[in-house]
Amino acid sequence: MSNVHLIDHPLVQHKLTLMRRKDASTNSFRRLLNELALLMAYEVTRDMPMQDIEIETPMEAMTGRVIDGKKLVFVSILRAGNGILEGMLSVVPGARVGHIGLYRDPKTLTAVEYYFKMPTHMPERDVIVVDPMLATGNSAIAAVDRLKEIGPKSIKFVCLLTCPEGIAAFHKAHPDVPIYTAAIDRELNDHGYILPGLGDAGDRIFGTQ
């Protein structure tokens, strides 16, 4: 568990609890997810590379520091990852964006890739993979497997919820990749859903349940 970072700030936990409610509307779920992603981005980008720039304040010239956003890539696992992506980009608008399309085979629960598109010069870039749920871990493992083939400088994984089974599976495959999450829930059910969880994040984001 040493490579799992639990973001337990009161605002994060408050918004996550409101999202979990089964009577939360699609609109409120989406809005809360955006706000929650913004708050989580603060912790995830804490050690991001910086660069010096020359600016003029109203008083004088000075050297300031800004995030080197052009070297940062947010990678969304489609489709639910896009719900987190917007909030992250509001914090680091200069970041590039990649997409990995994966769907879960309903019989085997394994991840099947159908889309992969990344920015150029990936070996120079730090990657933050976003997906609301780390449940069985299969999609996250497949996404990081694929990313490691193109060799980015670093990889982090960000999710709203995870569980002991997901953490164990992910760290067995990728012990070098840290997980950032707002909650570690009790367990998985027989269908690979997190309990108590919040249901299917993609369906709740896009109103397709």
Side-chain angles (χ1 to χ4, degrees):
M1 300 289 286
S2 62
N3 218 15
V4 179
H5 304 270
L6 180 62
I7 304 173
D8 59 355
H9 189 282
L11 283 174
V12 169
Q13 297 305 314
H14 173 82
K15 293 179 186 299
L16 178 59
T17 296
L18 296 180
M19 290 177 65
R20 287 183 188 266
R21 294 172 55 178
K22 67 179 182 180
D23 58 350
S25 68
T26 298
N27 181 53
S28 64
F29 189 92
R30 192 182 296 144
R31 174 179 53 81
L32 286 163
L33 178 56
N34 184 274
E35 295 170 356
L36 190 51
L38 189 152
L39 293 169
M40 293 181 70
Y42 178 82
E43 287 297 327
V44 177
T45 58
R46 183 179 290 275
D47 60 352
M48 285 291 98
M50 304 287 291
Q51 62 175 323
D52 293 334
I53 63 170
E54 300 300 318
I55 64 169
E56 293 274 351
T57 77
M59 306 301 294
E60 63 182 40
M62 66 163 286
T63 301
R65 301 177 72 212
V66 295
I67 291 175
D68 194 358
K70 292 183 179 178
K71 293 184 180 177
L72 178 64
V73 178
F74 292 118
V75 173
S76 172
I77 299 179
L78 299 175
R79 62 182 169 144
N82 284 354
I84 298 179
L85 183 61
E86 184 178 351
M88 293 282 180
L89 284 173
S90 67
V91 178
V92 193
R96 304 294 178 90
V97 176
H99 292 92
I100 300 178
L102 298 167
Y103 69 88
R104 186 169 64 170
D105 186 296
K107 293 182 179 178
T108 65
L109 302 184
T110 58
V112 180
E113 181 185 314
Y114 64 88
Y115 186 77
F116 186 85
K117 184 72 173 180
M118 293 295 140
T120 58
H121 309 298
M122 287 297 285
E124 303 171 12
R125 302 185 185 279
D126 297 292
V127 168
I128 297 175
V129 182
V130 296
D131 195 15
M133 318 292 274
L134 177 60
T136 63
N138 292 333
S139 293
I141 291 167
V144 175
D145 282 343
R146 192 74 164 84
L147 284 166
K148 284 185 173 180
E149 292 176 6
I150 55 177
K153 189 161 62 173
S154 70
I155 303 174
K156 295 177 180 178
F157 184 84
V158 178
C159 59
L160 297 183
L161 299 179
T162 186
C163 58
E165 297 95 328
I167 291 171
F170 186 83
H171 277 173
K172 182 178 180 180
H174 300 292
D176 57 320
V177 177
I179 297 169
Y180 291 78
T181 186
I184 302 172
D185 280 9
R186 186 179 70 248
E187 62 184 350
L188 291 180
N189 67 12
D190 293 339
H191 300 287
Y193 283 92
I194 295 173
L195 299 177
L198 50 69
D200 188 298
D203 282 345
R204 299 193 69 186
I205 291 166
F206 300 108
T208 53
Q209 61 263 61

